[in-house]
Amino acid sequence: MNATTTLISTLGGQAQIVTFALDFLLARGEPIAEVLALHVAPHDVRIQRALAQLRAEFLHGRYGTRPCHFRNLPVRNGSTPLDQIGDEADAEATWQTVHGLLAQLKAEGHHLHLCVAGGPRLIALMAMSAATLLFDHHDRLWHMSTPPDFLARAKDGAILHAQPADGVRLIQVPLAPWGAYFPGLRSLAQASPTQVIAAQTQWLDRAEHALCETVVHALTGRRLDVLRAFAHGLNPQDVAENLGLSIKTVDGYKTEILSECRVAWSLPEDGYLSYHFLRQKFERYFVSEA
């Protein structure tokens, strides 16, 4: 059974944000079968106008000639729709709404396209944060680029469908789907944003600790002493003086240590690394091992 492909778009008072994104993805061959619009202020005149325009585009579960369903999702605090996002309680309600939506869709097996071009910026930021936890490698995050002159002509839904010559396009935003690498992060559906940040940091610290340990176990004797000295913030001259080594010997050990780091972190051979990398990666490791 094929997964449903769904477009989620953040929405302000401009219906064309949704239709431009959908038209772009359909032109690329994406089989979008469902469109969801996330917004606040459901009683605002501009939002109501935009939603009416969108519903007219999806009559009887079709978008033009193709089956495609539309629904709007107001951000809620409990059962009450938010009129604005004005404080931390509103922000947490936004997080719960967005995270809950993405979690439900992914649990149902949807492939997701998330366009964060419209509406309050905080909805977009929360959606991007939730996507890092819940997206997998099938999902995509998009921002929209629209030429200013065409944007002005299309204002308030005056133009709902752009032509190729109009220059509207979606730009894919690189996103690391941490939840795909660390599935335990996906269980944070009921966590607050602060708890999510703490959990993400903890998972990443564990991953970094494991990579540091791989390098440490590959080193012996003075090489390990040199790494520990660099981790404590010393420069090559200080390392040489503190360990009674020549600067040439320290540089040789540093090259060997960085070579082990390239392997552990899968870094390209031609990428520049300095001793600053060793402090950045190993300072906390040696503190935790003390």
Side-chain angles (χ1 to χ4, degrees), residues 24-32:
F24 182 92
L25 293 172
L26 291 175
R28 287 168 50 99
E30 297 292 345
I32 308 294

Side-chain angles (χ1 to χ4, degrees), residues 62-74:
R62 302 188 73 83
Y63 184 72
T65 61
R66 62 180 297 121
C68 189
H69 294 274
F70 171 79
R71 59 189 171 109
N72 68 293
L73 295 167

Side-chain angles (χ1 to χ4, degrees), residues 234-256:
L234 302 185
N235 63 37
Q237 186 63 49
D238 292 335
V239 173
E241 293 175 1
N242 275 265
L243 296 181
L245 301 171
S246 70
I247 190 68
K248 183 177 180 180
T249 299
V250 169
D251 284 340
Y253 287 162
K254 178 186 66 157
T255 298
E256 293 177 25

